[in-house]
Amino acid sequence: MSRTIEAIIKHTDAIPEKHSSAKYQTMKAIRIHNYGGPEVLQYEDAPRPKPQAGEVLIRVHAAGVNPIDWKVREGHMKDFWPHKFPLILGWDVSGTVEEVGPGVSRFKIGDEVYSIPDPTRNGAYADYIVVRESELALKPNSLHHIRAAAVPLAALTAWQSLFDTAQLQPGQRVLIHAGGGGVGHFAVQLAKWKGAYVFATASTKNQDLLRELGVDQAIDYTQQRFEDVARNIDIVLDTIGGETQERSWSVLKKGGGLVSLVQPPSEEKAEELGVRAALLGVQPNGAQLAEIAKIIDSDKLAPIIDRILPLSEARRAHELSQSGHTHGKIVLRVFDQTERKS
Ligand SMILES: NC(=O)c1ccc[n+]([C@@H]2O[C@H](COP(=O)([O-])OP(=O)(O)OC[C@H]3O[C@@H](n4cnc5c(N)ncnc54)[C@H](OP(=O)(O)O)[C@@H]3O)[C@@H](O)[C@H]2O)c1
């Protein structure tokens, strides 16, 4: 190749290279610059993150919405998590590995993955997110990204509550409050998968859903007192707190356990009744997500989707989540591969 031609090629190569590197640096994201109502959610340009050692850059296809998202937005977690503004919300993701940092050995570019990213860092309401390798698993093969993004946080919470904390055994009797909610609908299915006898509560409109999920005794909390139906319970999963938690003590058998997701249960009360009680804080865990993916692919577990909205409609998603009466999960669609290909 003559020097001149080489120089021309280098020159013309340099133009798209420069253009693409500028593009590389930004992405669309939903960020907050201060705490507040849904109006603080801004759909805007943000810097595209780079994976460091042990980290993976994911092209986000979909982000699940959880109550923790609006709790962070309103500032409820500010004394626990050292967030900095501007902050990207959303700690449920399904997407494709775009780039791997040094030392990453279990994932490669193009892998389809899902995760709960570390909630102290930027979340998944964005085109890209950086996640630690240990927080990742291959997504279930049988689920499209939209449905896969509904799984990690809620399913892992149910898993860690029932199996790690309460040590649920086959044949035990479980009461799951809000069995049609994000965590509850996974907890019902996982408890049935384990061979438990399941009581679950929901309002009238969600009674059919409870039965479809496999609940043995569905309780309409608007018509019945749950303690009139559920007795001699081994494990209560408290997703509500307050009066619901207070009334739950009476349904437990001696030696049973109460796991709350929302409010520390009284140690004195637990001791007095001879039961165990714990507040659970879900932890990111790629290995457990890999187990959950296997159960989903064997048709024993499935997410229920209440609503799919585009990323730009995160405000609407928060309003719906905050209503406290969605069933299953809300998911934000971030990147549609079929649209991009056509
Ligand atoms: N500690 C942790 O690590 C952790 C992890 C995940 C979630 N959480 C917390 O756990 C709670 C539940 O989370 P989620 O994602 O399941 O929420 P969610 O999907 O918003 O829950 C909505 C469900 O709650 C039901 N519900 C409302 N009031 C009820 C009542 N009095 N009795 C029974 N069911 C009732 C609704 O059913 P109806 O419409 O039929 O009333 C609805 O299906 C949230 O506060 C969340 O922040 C904590």
Side-chain angles (χ1 to χ4, degrees):
M1 190 186 294
S2 78
R3 280 184 95 92
T4 327
I5 293 175
E6 197 182 358
I8 290 167
I9 291 172
K10 271 193 176 156
H11 179 69
T12 45
D13 271 353
I15 298 165
E17 176 56 30
K18 198 170 170 210
H19 178 74
S20 73
S21 79
K23 198 170 153 200
Y24 186 90
Q25 287 162 13
T26 62
M27 63 176 184
K28 284 289 180 203
I30 296 281
R31 300 195 298 181
I32 61 170
H33 295 255
N34 50 279
Y35 296 122
E39 70 283 355
V40 300
L41 297 166
Q42 301 292 338
Y43 184 61
E44 61 191 13
D45 287 335
R48 177 170 152 174
K50 276 288 283 173
Q52 305 299 313
E55 295 178 342
V56 172
L57 179 71
I58 299 173
R59 178 38 157 137
V60 179
H61 288 241
V65 174
N66 293 283
I68 194 63
D69 302 359
W70 55 260
K71 291 180 184 179
V72 168
R73 190 201 73 221
E74 289 192 336
H76 299 290
M77 305 306 291
K78 65 174 184 249
D79 295 334
F80 307 102
W81 290 337
H83 287 138
K84 290 199 189 92
F85 295 125
L87 173 68
I88 301 173
L89 302 176
W91 293 279
D92 240 349
V93 59
S94 184
T96 311
V97 173
E98 179 90 4
E99 193 180 331
V100 295
V104 169
S105 58
R106 290 187 300 115
F107 297 95
K108 59 181 188 319
I109 292 170
D111 279 350
E112 298 197 276
V113 291
Y114 73 154
S115 173
I116 304 183
D118 179 346
T120 66
R121 311 203 313 179
N122 270 329
Y125 290 5
D127 289 336
Y128 295 90
I129 183 174
V130 161
V131 172
R132 291 188 194 97
E133 184 181 22
S134 60
E135 295 159 0
L136 267 187
L138 294 176
K139 78 165 177 62
N141 267 323
S142 54
L143 298 184
H144 183 275
H145 286 291
I146 297 273
R147 300 189 73 220
V151 175
L153 196 145
L156 214 49
T157 302
W159 181 282
Q160 292 176 6
S161 303
L162 295 176
F163 303 154
D164 296 349
T165 305
Q167 303 278 313
L168 176 68
Q169 301 301 316
Q172 286 191 321
R173 291 158 67 85
V174 189
L175 169 61
I176 294 163
H177 287 296
V183 175
H185 85 288
F186 285 115
V188 165
Q189 296 175 78
L190 285 171
K192 288 304 297 174
W193 171 77
K194 192 76 174 180
Y197 187 87
V198 178
F199 298 78
T201 61
S203 67
T204 312
K205 69 174 165 42
N206 283 325
Q207 293 300 297
D208 286 345
L209 171 64
L210 291 186
R211 281 185 279 272
E212 281 160 27
L213 290 168
V215 166
D216 296 291
Q217 292 213 31
I219 303 170
D220 181 347
Y221 72 85
T222 68
Q223 304 292 324
Q224 299 161 289
R225 286 174 66 79
F226 63 80
E227 53 274 54
D228 293 341
V229 182
R231 297 204 182 88
N232 270 330
I233 298 294
D234 293 287
I235 294 160
V236 174
L237 179 59
D238 167 32
T239 57
I240 305 288
E243 189 209 334
T244 300
Q245 184 184 99
E246 198 46 50
R247 287 167 45 209
S248 292
W249 294 111
S250 70
V251 307
L252 281 169
K253 64 162 71 152
K254 211 171 168 103
L258 183 149
V259 181
S260 181
L261 305 181
V262 286
Q263 180 190 321
S266 155
E267 285 175 24
E268 295 75 37
K269 190 82 184 175
E271 201 173 329
E272 180 194 319
L273 295 170
V275 299
R276 295 161 292 135
L279 174 71
L280 180 109
V282 65
Q283 301 299 318
N285 188 320
Q288 289 180 339
L289 281 181
E291 287 297 305
I292 288 169
K294 279 191 218 154
I295 302 170
I296 290 173
D297 284 339
S298 70
D299 256 359
K300 298 280 193 293
L301 183 67
I304 303 266
I305 309 291
D306 183 294
R307 208 78 54 103
I308 302 165
L309 294 166
L311 179 64
S312 55
E313 288 186 31
R315 288 182 188 178
R316 174 88 187 112
H318 275 222
E319 284 160 2
L320 287 167
S321 171
Q322 220 159 342
S323 76
H325 292 287
T326 49
H327 64 272
K329 303 283 308 176
I330 302 167
V331 178
L332 294 172
R333 188 179 58 242
V334 180
F335 174 67
D336 188 335
Q337 224 173 7
T338 50
E339 273 174 24
R340 179 56 68 97
K341 274 180 186 160
S342 57

